[in-house]
Amino acid sequence: MSVQVLFLSSNAGTRPEWAHRNTGRDVPSDKITGAQSKNWLEVDREFTSLQAALGFPGLSGNNVLQTLPDVRWMAIDQVLVHVTERVVLHFSGHGDPSGALYMRKEDGAPVAVELEYLVEIVSRFRDRIPLIVLNACYSARLAQALTGSIDVVIGMTHAVEDAAAISFSLKFYQNLIYGGRAIGDAFA
């Protein structure tokens, strides 16, 4: 089975002065809650490390890993409409115990996008997404909610340091993509 990963990242942490501000579509105001200040995440390093660990597959014509950095959740449905093959949906960013994932509004302000809204959007594309990896703190509640429409969802039960999140991604995708392991074996 060929595996394709759509790697979505959203760094809703406090931006260092050097960080570029990017704008995108906003989440409807009734679908967000106030966001507390979060630490800056190494989501770019996670993606770059994953590319290196997989041998930069895109450079050899093996496009198993696509990235959508600084994602605004309202853009996800637009992206998934154009997906013609089944993909692993990977999210790297902040989460919280309520099941929310943190993204940015058009003005750059961080917001917590509610669990119910995330489930609603992703469920529309369940035929294209056999696996979701939520590499975000406290994402287990969202993972559980998504299992009603997605075959397999991996979430984190507690806070996860950047180094641990990156290590998990590297080992999991090396096992899944190049090791040919089943999801449960790649996860172990």
Side-chain angles (χ1 to χ4, degrees):
M1 172 181 99
S2 174
V3 176
Q4 290 199 12
V5 178
L6 179 55
F7 185 100
L8 310 176
S9 64
S10 182
N11 201 341
T14 303
R15 292 177 184 263
E17 289 184 25
W18 52 262
H20 170 70
R21 283 200 170 223
N22 194 2
T23 62
R25 292 188 62 196
D26 200 0
V27 175
S29 60
D30 64 331
K31 302 295 182 187
I32 61 175
T33 57
Q36 300 170 356
S37 179
K38 300 286 181 191
N39 294 331
W40 187 256
L41 295 175
E42 297 286 346
V43 294
D44 293 338
R45 186 167 60 106
E46 180 182 359
F47 180 76
T48 302
S49 298
L50 187 53
Q51 285 277 22
L54 296 176
F56 299 97
L59 297 177
S60 61
N62 186 7
N63 294 316
V64 298
L65 189 61
Q66 302 298 320
T67 184
L68 182 59
D70 196 27
V71 68
R72 307 300 201 249
W73 199 260
M74 289 299 295
I76 297 304
D77 58 345
Q78 296 171 12
V79 171
L80 293 177
V81 160
H82 297 286
V83 172
T84 58
E85 303 201 14
R86 291 167 55 94
V87 297
V88 174
L89 186 63
H90 177 102
F91 177 81
S92 181
H94 283 293
D96 73 24
S98 74
L101 294 180
Y102 286 84
M103 313 257 172
R104 288 195 178 272
K105 296 186 337 180
E106 189 172 324
D107 66 1
V111 295
V113 184
E114 296 173 2
L115 174 145
E116 295 81 8
Y117 183 66
L118 298 169
V119 170
E120 175 189 328
I121 294 293
V122 172
S123 295
R124 291 183 205 158
F125 303 99
R126 66 179 142 251
D127 60 323
R128 299 177 188 148
I129 307 170
L131 168 63
I132 296 178
V133 177
L134 301 168
N135 206 1
C137 296
Y138 306 109
S139 55
R141 186 170 178 193
L142 174 58
Q144 183 63 40
L146 286 165
T147 59
S149 55
I150 305 298
D151 294 340
V152 179
V153 185
I154 297 170
M156 307 301 162
T157 57
H158 56 283
V160 181
E161 296 291 325
D162 276 353
I166 292 168
S167 178
F168 166 76
S169 287
L170 298 180
K171 290 175 186 172
F172 179 75
Y173 289 114
Q174 283 176 325
N175 288 336
L176 185 68
I177 294 171
Y178 290 125
R181 294 186 181 176
I183 294 168
D185 293 336
F187 184 72

